[in-house]
Amino acid sequence: MDKEESTHSQADVLIIGAGPSGLMAAYWMARYGINARIIDKRNTKVFLGHADGLRARTLELFDSMGFQHRVLQEGSTSTEANIWVPGPQGKLIRQAFINVARVDESPFLNTCLNQGRIERFILDSIREHSDLDVERGVIAESLEYDEELSNDPNSYPITVKVRVLGEDDSKVKDGCETTGNEVNREDLLPDDWADLAPRRKPQKTQIETIKAKYLIGCDGAHSWTRKQLNIPVEGSNTDHIWGVIDVIPLSDFPDVRRLSIVNSAAGTILVIPRERGLVRFYVPVQTCEAGTTDRFDRSTITPELIRERMQAIFAPFTFDFKESNWWTVYQVGQRIASQSTKGNRIFLAGDAVHTHSPKMGLGMNMSMQDGFNVGWKVALTVAGTLKPEVLETYASERHPLAEMLLELDRHWSPMFNDPKPEMADTKASDMALIAGKFEDFADGWKVFYPASSLVRRAEDDAEFAFARHMIPGERVRPAKLRNQADGGTVWTTRALESDGRFRILVLAGDMRDSMQKQRIEALGQALDGQSGSSISPFGRYLEIAGRFQCPIDVLTVHSSPWKDVEFFDFPEVLRPFDPVKGWAYDKIWCDEACIFDRYCDGTAYEKWGVDRARGALVVVRPDQYIGWVGELEDLEELTQYLDGILVKRSTDKVDLVL
Amino acid sequence: MDKEESTHSQADVLIIGAGPSGLMAAYWMARYGINARIIDKRNTKVFLGHADGLRARTLELFDSMGFQHRVLQEGSTSTEANIWVPGPQGKLIRQAFINVARVDESPFLNTCLNQGRIERFILDSIREHSDLDVERGVIAESLEYDEELSNDPNSYPITVKVRVLGEDDSKVKDGCETTGNEVNREDLLPDDWADLAPRRKPQKTQIETIKAKYLIGCDGAHSWTRKQLNIPVEGSNTDHIWGVIDVIPLSDFPDVRRLSIVNSAAGTILVIPRERGLVRFYVPVQTCEAGTTDRFDRSTITPELIRERMQAIFAPFTFDFKESNWWTVYQVGQRIASQSTKGNRIFLAGDAVHTHSPKMGLGMNMSMQDGFNVGWKVALTVAGTLKPEVLETYASERHPLAEMLLELDRHWSPMFNDPKPEMADTKASDMALIAGKFEDFADGWKVFYPASSLVRRAEDDAEFAFARHMIPGERVRPAKLRNQADGGTVWTTRALESDGRFRILVLAGDMRDSMQKQRIEALGQALDGQSGSSISPFGRYLEIAGRFQCPIDVLTVHSSPWKDVEFFDFPEVLRPFDPVKGWAYDKIWCDEACIFDRYCDGTAYEKWGVDRARGALVVVRPDQYIGWVGELEDLEELTQYLDGILVKRSTDKVDLVL
């Protein structure tokens, strides 16, 4: 050890683990320009296999991050789910055919694409916005947390010693290697080639001591971070062991390219069509007591064994494969960490908090949404703009969802884990029941965040009458709008770009009505600080250094016909002028059907439950969730909401003293 | 000279010029795996400015090449065109507002994105499919063509001596430098960063002598290749000189983000909104006699002068800019080369053949379509699969279109070149008239290729009654279909992938009808060679070495409801089995409306003019143009068509002798 080089450094944020949740958190560091580090013990990113199911809500986030089009181009969508059971003669028959596409809720459908591509897209986005890069082959070795420092926002209460593996170090075992998967260049798209070779390493192993203000542990089910904090995990006493394999199927089973559950006397298989002709199969292998990993010999599970099980289940249909580009053995129980934070300085996200069966296609989604939620909050706090106490909402928003996820998994898993054929008849109705639950939860757009400083709910959970479907704690229901200046159409999921700012949605109503136009002009004056009151949110809060003068953006959506209104009809504060960038042509939008885009159908106001004449006022958080809803005159309440979460400029304080 | 290194090499195809037309040709070399070279005198690719208008037809090609989604994500669409003229008080007024989006014709709209991004996308696609790369900083210096060798398809009648510029060479002047544009890394997306620095050069200049079977000259309006061949250009005696500038406008002109023609007493401006807040302006500067370039001093035109002209034209609206990332001076007349080939061994494409005013947004489109047309033909000939005489169709298909383009430009240009205000009143109707002509030509989907070995027209140009809108010589009208195996939807523009193969479209009609099913089974047997006849096109033609065993692919589109038919209902030859890749699940498609995709509306048969019950048979060329149309029983005629253009396997010939 004493020969090893040792260095010391400081970082505002340290992220351990560069899987989907860690990368989502890192995305925010890139967007806010935070002095952050992200380390991962593996030598390279994931390329093939691993998680693959993407829910519509996740694609909505990807749209706000700017790369959903790449997922749609490469991924495979599933719009129906089929259930196969033994028929009268014992031969498998298609028992049910369930529509799982909820077309009015989201522009996007359930899509499958392997985790390696998702990591590629997030990494590209991080690169576009910053110099932040994942440091690979770096292992955390010790963690100290000095609670006494935690009240000072500028302190570095966290000390992590990391080992930077050098050429002299033995190769780290990763998930792939345990099952002997090899990655060939031919299996990858060109944009992943450069990452296939591990980066140049230091000649010798180095030790680095990193002092950090915040730490986000995204280091998976066996989270090292969680163990250092002695946070217990709770849950089932049983682990289920699955074989998971991605193959090009050679089969006469009719639904091998359709999402299907096949439940024969010999067992159950989940069939998930994937990109590039691949199909993923989940095959239950064994159940054992939790914590008995040592007693279960993973080497007994081979692709050969999985193939044989599948052939038995699919019989009398044929099943075989010659090409498999990834397979693994999952051993997983329903478990949840008792806490997902330590003093709101250290956070756990993703599998480090919750583990469950992989077969709902929810794991990667939940993990990424964890990382997304904690990422913007930590970054905006480090930037000095968000009040540190808002960080409490990470646990209060995400932990209950982790619990719901496990609850759902407990209902769902038995359908796969119990191969008893007599259950077959009930499975279709079970599945319909669970599909019903999915409507409230799994697809991700009825995810409720509870009332908090970030979520100003109406009294007694009543709806706000002027914006019935704009419910604080939910995401903005997507609609396609037409830009007033250039006539182009765009989904709100893209227009509400995840650039880090809160966004005031001015739903301006019908601007042709002179009374309504007066309301908008009055709102414009108030927003601009011209009305003599001190409630304008602009210029009031600390800037995001190097990014935005103001942490609040404003977007206007009117309901008048596109041709009857001009861009310059709107108050200047709604379309501000920049001496270099000119007028903000991307700020005024129209909710009217247009002939050249069938999805731009003029239904935004309806989807949002807002009166087309009178409009409403909405605050959307940086993560597209609704924080506050009011009427066009409620600027005082809006500013109160923002005052509760954002740090005011010191000049304002001086003003107040004067 | 005698100190320079000199080497000799052979290439099947040499492409001179790596602009849009050269890259489109190179795309095909990559897809067919041809031993090709592509050289360009510039040190780097284009990054900013230059051509920017993309017509729907070009986007359809991009979809078949796999990157249209990147264009849609980054580009700016124009759906209306506005005409501004002096009003009663002399102030500019919006005189006309013309819908230019033809939504039923194509999935895509007129889109603007700079040439640098288009080159990026084509380069990425070339890289995905081959090791072919553009050799930059390479100048062709001499060309010899030995006509006597031209009858032997394996000969190398072309000798080009090229100079590979070394570090000791002075920097080559390119279009950018003449106007002093600088490219900053901040102006680019990360995927262009690596190309910003010129590649490592040889230390010394080198001379290489390349022997080639075919040469494609894509070297622009001042084509070196054309000059070596002494091919004259014909056309107008007048050159128009334009200032062209990309800026972030600072203006209160209401339509600065909308496609507009502004015609004031002070002159005419064309306004073209672009990506990333940029707007392109075309400003006529001067007219001079052709060939008098020397007498026109380009240095008199500066961004300052362009700015002042624009301020005069836009007055009383304000106009200014601080950011401009590209500008240039175009001097251009309507001119056309008298020939676009020499012995069907050397071809000219793009601006080397035709030049015209840049303001129809057609130049890059025509050029790319030239390169696309010549590229697949040359490549497939080199592969040995296409009969060399088919190469005659490059000139017969593209040259008349170049003539039409110039004709259109002659009508269009005066609207800009003549700043007389008294013309203003007539311009709206003129524009409507020209927009009408556009419907037949400019958008690109009514481009007719005349009858030839590649285009089997009906007698007397009559329609084929069983496929009224499948007209040989036109492209397949796009429709969105549903995959029978996995239920996903896709535009035909993507399904008809530009992978290099001819494609038989089996429009199978309604498979629920037993008579119709019998017809399909009979077709399957005939295609499979089981019917005893020798008319199966499979196994009949020379393979494309290293790519496809058979140069013909088959795609089936039925009109039955998706749920009433199974993938395995179709004859095996329509969904062939590969021992590694399994069943060809991407071969059977359904024309039925589906609830989750508003564009998959079950109108394909209607668009194609095909009877939903009886179907039809269509051959689509590798470039998505229709070559042949028949009924499901017309396999003999289909094979005759293919025999006329494809080279048979020698084993077939042996069979015939036996």
Side-chain angles (χ1 to χ4, degrees):
Chain A
M1 270 293 182
D2 47 3
K3 276 193 191 166
E4 291 172 336
E5 290 179 42
S6 181
T7 56
H8 293 260
S9 59
Q10 284 188 332
D12 286 343
V13 180
L14 174 64
I15 300 170
I16 299 181
S21 56
L23 289 177
M24 287 296 258
Y27 166 85
W28 286 115
M29 305 306 145
R31 290 306 301 253
Y32 284 108
I34 300 302
N35 168 24
R37 303 271 298 267
I38 175 167
I39 65 172
D40 197 286
K41 64 181 177 182
R42 285 177 305 204
N43 274 323
T44 62
K45 69 186 276 289
V46 158
F47 293 104
L48 301 170
H50 296 83
D52 62 353
L54 296 164
R55 295 277 167 190
R57 175 68 195 133
T58 304
L59 293 176
E60 292 173 13
L61 294 183
F62 289 173
D63 201 17
S64 76
M65 299 163 80
F67 54 77
Q68 124 291 353
H69 63 297
R70 300 178 72 181
V71 180
L72 297 192
Q73 178 76 3
E74 297 183 24
S76 173
T77 57
S78 292
T79 49
E80 293 90 7
N82 303 285
I83 301 182
W84 286 76
V85 296
Q89 274 86 45
K91 186 178 151 82
L92 286 168
I93 57 163
R94 196 190 280 137
Q95 186 199 36
F97 185 90
I98 300 165
N99 172 36
V100 295
R102 301 175 63 211
V103 292
D104 291 330
E105 289 296 333
S106 179
F108 308 115
L109 302 167
N110 293 326
T111 301
C112 279
L113 184 63
N114 89 70
Q115 181 179 330
R117 294 305 295 164
I118 308 306
E119 292 188 9
R120 169 82 279 140
F121 304 151
I122 310 175
L123 286 167
D124 285 351
S125 186
I126 289 172
R127 183 170 177 231
E128 184 177 341
H129 295 290
S130 74
D131 294 326
L132 181 62
D133 200 359
V134 178
E135 300 165 51
R136 301 193 186 274
V138 179
I139 296 173
E141 293 199 322
S142 72
L143 166 61
E144 285 168 42
Y145 175 57
D146 186 344
E147 262 186 281
E148 288 180 14
L149 295 176
S150 66
N151 286 330
D152 172 9
N154 295 315
S155 69
Y156 293 81
I158 296 152
T159 307
V160 176
K161 200 176 274 189
V162 303
R163 172 186 293 265
V164 186
L165 298 180
E167 283 177 4
D168 58 348
D169 223 307
S170 62
K171 213 175 166 192
V172 183
K173 251 184 143 183
D174 74 5
C176 267
E177 287 169 280
T178 58
T179 44
N181 290 293
E182 259 183 50
V183 178
N184 300 310
R185 186 177 147 121
E186 309 79 87
D187 293 331
L188 305 184
L189 289 173
D191 57 0
D192 262 341
W193 290 345
D195 277 323
L196 190 54
R199 313 281 165 100
R200 224 161 64 96
K201 295 175 165 193
Q203 282 199 322
K204 284 189 175 300
T205 293
Q206 296 170 350
I207 298 292
E208 180 181 356
T209 303
I210 304 174
K211 293 261 183 198
K213 290 180 181 167
Y214 293 91
L215 172 65
I216 309 178
C218 305
D219 44 356
H222 305 288
S223 171
W224 174 89
T225 311
R226 187 187 66 218
K227 285 172 190 158
Q228 304 312 301
L229 300 174
N230 291 314
I231 295 177
V233 287
E234 297 149 0
S236 65
N237 293 319
T238 317
D239 274 4
H240 297 291
I241 298 164
W242 307 91
V244 187
I245 192 161
D246 291 343
V247 306
I248 306 282
L250 309 175
S251 171
D252 59 4
F253 176 66
D255 282 353
V256 80
R257 289 284 319 157
R258 296 174 185 175
L259 184 63
S260 301
I261 298 168
V262 180
N263 177 51
S264 83
T268 302
I269 285 179
L270 185 58
V271 180
I272 302 177
R274 286 269 301 270
E275 73 278 9
R276 306 177 105 187
L278 290 167
V279 181
R280 164 159 299 187
F281 298 93
Y282 285 96
V283 189
V285 172
Q286 200 175 319
T287 301
C288 63
E289 276 179 52
T292 59
T293 320
D294 298 341
R295 276 185 275 158
F296 168 65
D297 181 4
R298 287 168 77 111
S299 71
T300 60
I301 313 293
T302 63
E304 271 319 305
L305 182 133
I306 297 173
R307 187 200 315 257
E308 282 163 21
R309 287 224 57 176
M310 289 168 78
Q311 286 172 337
I313 294 169
F314 273 124
F317 292 111
T318 61
F319 181 85
D320 204 350
F321 59 85
K322 291 209 171 67
E323 276 195 10
S324 164
N325 76 5
W326 185 79
W327 73 280
T328 195
V329 181
Y330 271 122
Q331 173 172 358
V332 120
Q334 286 118 10
R335 275 189 284 280
I336 187 167
S338 62
Q339 293 166 253
S340 45
T341 181
K342 179 89 175 178
N344 292 316
R345 286 290 200 154
I346 303 178
F347 300 91
L348 301 175
D351 290 356
V353 181
H354 40 76
T355 64
H356 54 92
S357 79
K359 299 197 301 188
M360 289 187 297
L362 269 176
M364 179 162 65
N365 296 274
M366 285 293 287
S367 294
M368 286 194 287
Q369 288 170 35
D370 282 355
F372 202 72
N373 189 297
V374 75
W376 75 264
K377 292 172 183 173
V378 167
L380 199 54
T381 304
V382 168
T385 309
L386 195 71
K387 293 185 176 176
E389 55 265 34
V390 177
L391 290 170
E392 291 165 10
T393 63
Y394 170 63
S396 70
E397 292 186 345
R398 297 301 302 174
H399 213 79
L401 292 178
E403 282 163 354
M404 283 177 70
L405 172 66
L406 263 68
E407 173 69 17
L408 188 64
D409 193 45
R410 272 189 284 271
H411 282 93
W412 181 256
S413 279
M415 288 176 48
F416 303 95
N417 296 332
D418 191 335
K420 281 177 287 188
E422 63 266 27
M423 280 188 67
D425 283 349
T426 62
K427 284 198 180 174
S429 55
D430 278 6
M431 182 146 171
L433 191 77
I434 291 169
K437 286 200 174 229
F438 263 34
E439 295 191 16
D440 293 336
F441 172 74
D443 285 333
W445 45 76
K446 277 283 184 181
V447 166
F448 266 98
Y449 289 152
S452 71
S453 58
L454 272 179
V455 175
R456 226 285 308 265
R457 300 290 288 269
E459 301 285 321
D460 302 325
D461 268 15
E463 291 166 344
F464 291 100
F466 36 85
R468 291 188 316 286
H469 309 317
M470 282 286 201
I471 300 172
E474 287 191 24
R475 63 79 153 104
V476 176
R477 203 170 155 196
K480 208 163 191 184
L481 304 174
R482 189 159 199 217
N483 184 275
Q484 186 62 40
D486 67 26
T489 60
V490 77
W491 284 104
T492 48
T493 44
R494 186 172 177 193
L496 298 171
E497 184 187 353
S498 287
D499 65 3
R501 290 180 290 181
F502 282 77
R503 209 158 258 129
I504 299 174
L505 275 187
V506 177
L507 306 180
D510 191 342
M511 291 284 287
R512 293 170 304 178
D513 179 84
S514 61
M515 290 292 287
Q516 183 67 11
K517 199 168 177 185
Q518 277 177 29
R519 292 181 73 204
I520 296 302
E521 272 158 16
L523 172 67
Q525 284 173 9
L527 279 172
D528 218 9
Q530 293 169 15
S531 57
S533 69
S534 61
I535 51 169
S536 166
F538 298 110
R540 188 177 181 92
Y541 306 110
L542 216 61
E543 64 182 59
I544 305 169
R547 302 281 151 156
F548 296 108
Q549 283 279 320
C550 178
I552 298 158
D553 185 31
V554 60
L555 221 58
T556 299
V557 183
H558 70 84
S559 64
S560 337
W562 186 72
K563 283 193 192 177
D564 292 357
V565 174
E566 301 278 351
F567 175 79
F568 289 109
D569 289 347
F570 292 82
E572 189 169 333
V573 69
L574 303 183
R575 49 173 179 86
F577 184 80
D578 176 277
V580 175
K581 295 292 176 194
W583 295 105
Y585 293 108
D586 56 343
K587 299 301 178 207
I588 310 287
W589 297 83
C590 169
D591 177 34
E592 187 195 25
C594 71
I595 56 160
F596 61 84
D597 186 335
R598 294 184 192 175
Y599 285 96
C600 182
D601 56 3
T603 60
Y605 272 63
E606 187 188 321
K607 281 180 180 165
W608 299 336
V610 174
D611 186 292
R612 288 190 77 82
R614 286 189 54 81
L617 211 51
V618 177
V619 178
V620 181
R621 316 180 338 177
D623 57 3
Q624 302 190 329
Y625 285 84
I626 298 160
W628 178 93
V629 176
E631 293 211 72
L632 292 172
E633 286 74 18
D634 295 344
L635 202 56
E636 199 160 337
E637 291 80 358
L638 181 153
T639 303
Q640 275 172 18
Y641 165 77
L642 292 173
D643 281 355
I645 49 184
L646 296 177
V647 178
K648 288 198 206 178
R649 277 180 197 267
S650 51
T651 50
D652 280 353
K653 285 178 193 157
V654 175
D655 284 348
L656 288 177
V657 171
L658 295 174
Chain B
M1 271 290 182
D2 48 2
K3 275 190 190 167
E4 292 173 337
E5 289 179 43
S6 179
T7 56
H8 293 260
S9 59
Q10 285 188 330
D12 286 344
V13 181
L14 174 64
I15 300 169
I16 299 180
S21 56
L23 289 177
M24 287 296 259
Y27 166 85
W28 286 114
M29 306 305 144
R31 291 306 300 254
Y32 284 108
I34 300 302
N35 168 24
R37 303 272 296 271
I38 175 167
I39 65 172
D40 197 286
K41 65 181 179 184
R42 285 178 306 206
N43 275 322
T44 61
K45 69 187 276 289
V46 158
F47 293 104
L48 300 170
H50 295 83
D52 62 354
L54 296 165
R55 296 277 167 189
R57 175 67 194 134
T58 304
L59 293 176
E60 292 174 14
L61 295 183
F62 289 173
D63 202 17
S64 76
M65 300 163 79
F67 54 76
Q68 123 290 353
H69 62 298
R70 300 177 72 182
V71 180
L72 298 192
Q73 178 77 4
E74 297 183 24
S76 171
T77 57
S78 291
T79 50
E80 292 91 7
N82 304 284
I83 301 182
W84 286 77
V85 295
Q89 274 86 47
K91 186 175 152 85
L92 286 169
I93 57 163
R94 196 189 280 136
Q95 186 198 37
F97 185 88
I98 300 165
N99 172 36
V100 295
R102 300 177 63 212
V103 293
D104 291 330
E105 288 297 333
S106 178
F108 309 114
L109 302 168
N110 293 327
T111 301
C112 280
L113 185 63
N114 88 70
Q115 180 179 331
R117 295 305 295 163
I118 307 306
E119 292 188 10
R120 170 83 277 140
F121 304 152
I122 309 176
L123 286 167
D124 285 352
S125 185
I126 289 172
R127 184 171 178 231
E128 182 176 344
H129 295 291
S130 74
D131 294 325
L132 181 62
D133 201 0
V134 178
E135 301 165 50
R136 301 193 187 274
V138 179
I139 296 173
E141 293 199 321
S142 71
L143 166 61
E144 285 168 43
Y145 175 58
D146 186 345
E147 261 188 281
E148 287 180 17
L149 293 175
S150 66
N151 288 328
D152 173 8
N154 297 314
S155 69
Y156 293 81
I158 297 151
T159 307
V160 176
K161 200 176 274 189
V162 303
R163 173 187 293 265
V164 186
L165 298 180
E167 284 177 4
D168 57 350
D169 224 307
S170 63
K171 214 175 165 192
V172 183
K173 251 184 144 183
D174 73 5
C176 267
E177 286 167 281
T178 58
T179 45
N181 291 293
E182 258 184 53
V183 179
N184 300 311
R185 187 177 145 121
E186 310 78 87
D187 292 332
L188 305 184
L189 289 172
D191 57 359
D192 261 341
W193 290 346
D195 277 322
L196 190 54
R199 315 281 165 98
R200 223 163 65 98
K201 295 176 166 192
Q203 282 198 323
K204 284 191 174 301
T205 293
Q206 295 170 351
I207 298 291
E208 182 181 355
T209 304
I210 304 174
K211 292 263 181 195
K213 290 180 181 167
Y214 294 91
L215 171 65
I216 309 177
C218 304
D219 43 357
H222 305 289
S223 172
W224 174 90
T225 310
R226 189 186 65 216
K227 286 172 189 158
Q228 304 310 302
L229 300 173
N230 291 313
I231 295 176
V233 287
E234 296 148 3
S236 66
N237 294 318
T238 317
D239 273 5
H240 296 291
I241 298 165
W242 307 92
V244 187
I245 193 161
D246 291 343
V247 307
I248 307 283
L250 310 175
S251 171
D252 59 5
F253 177 66
D255 282 353
V256 80
R257 290 286 316 160
R258 297 175 185 174
L259 184 64
S260 301
I261 298 168
V262 180
N263 176 51
S264 83
T268 303
I269 285 179
L270 185 60
V271 180
I272 303 178
R274 286 269 302 272
E275 73 278 10
R276 308 178 104 189
L278 290 168
V279 181
R280 165 160 299 187
F281 298 93
Y282 285 97
V283 189
V285 171
Q286 199 174 322
T287 301
C288 62
E289 274 179 54
T292 59
T293 321
D294 297 341
R295 274 185 277 158
F296 168 65
D297 181 5
R298 286 168 78 111
S299 70
T300 59
I301 313 292
T302 61
E304 272 318 307
L305 181 133
I306 297 173
R307 186 199 316 254
E308 282 163 23
R309 286 224 58 175
M310 291 168 77
Q311 287 172 336
I313 294 169
F314 273 124
F317 291 111
T318 61
F319 181 85
D320 204 348
F321 59 87
K322 290 209 172 68
E323 277 196 10
S324 164
N325 74 6
W326 186 80
W327 73 280
T328 194
V329 180
Y330 271 123
Q331 173 171 358
V332 118
Q334 287 117 9
R335 275 189 284 281
I336 186 168
S338 62
Q339 291 165 256
S340 44
T341 180
K342 178 88 174 181
N344 292 315
R345 286 290 199 153
I346 303 178
F347 300 91
L348 300 175
D351 290 356
V353 181
H354 40 77
T355 63
H356 54 91
S357 78
K359 299 196 300 188
M360 289 187 299
L362 268 176
M364 180 162 64
N365 297 273
M366 285 293 287
S367 294
M368 286 195 286
Q369 288 169 33
D370 282 353
F372 202 72
N373 189 297
V374 74
W376 75 264
K377 292 171 183 172
V378 168
L380 198 54
T381 305
V382 168
T385 308
L386 195 71
K387 295 185 176 175
E389 55 265 34
V390 177
L391 291 170
E392 292 165 10
T393 63
Y394 170 63
S396 69
E397 292 185 344
R398 298 302 302 175
H399 212 78
L401 293 177
E403 283 164 354
M404 283 176 70
L405 172 66
L406 263 69
E407 172 69 19
L408 188 63
D409 194 44
R410 272 188 285 271
H411 283 92
W412 181 256
S413 278
M415 288 175 52
F416 304 95
N417 296 332
D418 191 335
K420 279 177 286 187
E422 62 267 27
M423 278 188 68
D425 283 348
T426 62
K427 285 200 180 172
S429 55
D430 278 4
M431 181 146 170
L433 191 77
I434 290 169
K437 287 202 175 227
F438 263 33
E439 294 190 17
D440 292 336
F441 172 74
D443 285 333
W445 46 74
K446 277 282 183 181
V447 166
F448 265 97
Y449 289 153
S452 71
S453 58
L454 273 179
V455 175
R456 227 285 308 266
R457 300 291 288 272
E459 301 285 322
D460 301 324
D461 269 17
E463 291 166 343
F464 291 100
F466 36 86
R468 290 189 316 285
H469 309 319
M470 281 286 201
I471 300 173
E474 287 191 22
R475 61 80 152 106
V476 176
R477 205 171 153 196
K480 209 163 191 184
L481 304 173
R482 190 160 197 217
N483 183 276
Q484 186 61 40
D486 67 25
T489 59
V490 77
W491 284 103
T492 48
T493 43
R494 186 171 176 195
L496 298 171
E497 184 187 353
S498 288
D499 66 1
R501 289 180 291 180
F502 282 78
R503 210 157 260 129
I504 299 173
L505 276 188
V506 177
L507 305 181
D510 191 342
M511 292 283 287
R512 294 170 304 177
D513 178 81
S514 61
M515 290 291 286
Q516 182 69 9
K517 201 169 177 184
Q518 278 176 29
R519 294 180 74 204
I520 297 302
E521 273 158 15
L523 171 68
Q525 284 172 10
L527 279 173
D528 219 8
Q530 292 169 16
S531 58
S533 67
S534 61
I535 52 168
S536 166
F538 299 110
R540 188 177 181 92
Y541 306 110
L542 214 62
E543 65 181 62
I544 304 169
R547 301 283 150 155
F548 296 108
Q549 283 280 321
C550 179
I552 298 158
D553 184 30
V554 60
L555 222 59
T556 299
V557 184
H558 69 83
S559 63
S560 338
W562 187 72
K563 283 193 190 176
D564 291 357
V565 174
E566 300 278 351
F567 175 78
F568 289 110
D569 289 347
F570 292 81
E572 188 168 333
V573 68
L574 302 183
R575 49 172 179 86
F577 184 79
D578 176 278
V580 175
K581 295 293 176 193
W583 296 104
Y585 293 108
D586 56 343
K587 298 300 179 207
I588 310 287
W589 298 83
C590 170
D591 177 34
E592 187 195 25
C594 71
I595 56 160
F596 61 83
D597 186 335
R598 294 184 192 176
Y599 285 96
C600 182
D601 56 3
T603 61
Y605 272 63
E606 187 188 322
K607 281 180 180 165
W608 299 337
V610 174
D611 187 291
R612 288 190 77 80
R614 287 190 54 81
L617 210 53
V618 178
V619 178
V620 181
R621 316 181 337 177
D623 57 2
Q624 301 191 332
Y625 284 85
I626 298 161
W628 177 94
V629 175
E631 292 211 72
L632 292 172
E633 286 74 18
D634 295 344
L635 203 54
E636 198 159 336
E637 291 80 357
L638 182 152
T639 304
Q640 275 172 16
Y641 165 77
L642 293 173
D643 282 355
I645 49 183
L646 296 178
V647 177
K648 289 197 205 177
R649 277 180 197 267
S650 51
T651 49
D652 280 353
K653 286 180 192 156
V654 174
D655 284 349
L656 288 177
V657 170
L658 294 174

